[in-house]
Amino acid sequence: MLRPYKYEIYPNVAQREQIEKTFGCCRSIYNLALTASQNTYTGSVSWSRFGMQKQLPELKKAYPFFAEVDSQSLVAVLQNL
């Protein structure tokens, strides 16, 4: 039998700030990747997840605030897209 568990976290101010930065960057990456894939979609050709992941280092250079968060969270956003 499976039991559900509910957890509450109580982050301090620095942790809360890092969580908010991560959520904001993930939202930005999602919107940028979605817009790019919609603009390049022609018939049956579109960006793959790996093509988008290859663009992450360039995006980090263009937008330095992406470098402040964990890169695995940004990659997970692209997987979910």
Side-chain angles (χ1 to χ4, degrees), residues 36-49 52:
S37 66
Q38 286 175 344
N39 289 341
T40 60
Y41 181 76
T42 56
S44 62
V45 178
S46 65
W47 274 21
S48 68
R49 172 175 56 110
M52 290 184 203

Side-chain angles (χ1 to χ4, degrees), residues 7-75:
Y7 295 100
E8 274 189 54
I9 60 171
Y10 301 101
N12 60 25
V13 175
Q15 291 169 336
R16 185 176 297 136
E17 184 178 307
Q18 186 64 32
I19 290 170
E20 290 172 358
K21 281 182 184 179
T22 302
F23 285 160
C25 288
C26 288
R27 183 179 62 244
S28 297
I29 285 286
Y30 183 89
N31 289 335
L32 284 171
L34 182 63
T35 303
S37 66
Q38 286 175 344
N39 289 341
T40 60
Y41 181 76
T42 56
S44 62
V45 178
S46 65
W47 274 21
S48 68
R49 172 175 56 110
F50 301 109
M52 290 184 203
Q53 286 178 2
K54 287 181 183 178
Q55 298 294 324
L56 275 178
E58 294 174 15
L59 286 174
K60 285 184 179 182
K61 289 178 185 175
Y63 303 102
F65 56 89
F66 286 150
E68 296 177 8
V69 299
D70 185 32
S71 64
Q72 292 178 350
S73 61
L74 301 178
V75 170

